[in-house]
Amino acid sequence: MTTKSVPKSKKSITLEKEIETKVRRIQARLIEKTDQTWSLSVVLNILVTAGLMQTKKMSRADWQKIKTLVEDKTVTFGDELISDFVKKMSE
């Protein structure tokens, strides 16, 4: 069985300050809990991939919540959510 690597492309993106703060908090938590190095780009790729996988399971109300978060520029991640995410990542 051969493994094909996916070609990487370098893109420059700008994150809203609030989102960058939350992503960096997740990054710090991952580093703390797993005792490994996690680059910001890896954390963003994980979050984007998880989000894309989750879209099939989202209801119309879920999409409305996302839209409201983006419009209001308020993103709330509880510590419990981040802890659960880190646990799943390390299993």
Side-chain angles (χ1 to χ4, degrees), residues 18-71:
E18 295 84 5
I19 293 173
E20 180 183 2
T21 300
K22 299 298 182 179
V23 172
R24 289 197 182 277
R25 191 174 295 156
I26 292 169
Q27 177 190 29
R29 195 67 167 256
L30 285 167
I31 292 169
E32 176 188 337
K33 295 291 183 179
T34 63
D35 199 27
Q36 295 178 4
T37 302
W38 293 83
S39 70
L40 190 61
S41 63
V42 168
V43 175
L44 283 170
N45 282 328
I46 290 169
L47 292 172
V48 168
T49 302
L52 290 172
M53 292 173 62
Q54 185 62 27
T55 57
K56 293 180 183 179
K57 300 176 185 175
M58 291 175 64
S59 68
R60 188 177 191 112
D62 293 331
W63 282 108
Q64 186 59 44
K65 288 178 193 174
I66 299 284
K67 182 180 177 205
T68 302
L69 289 173
V70 171
E71 289 172 347

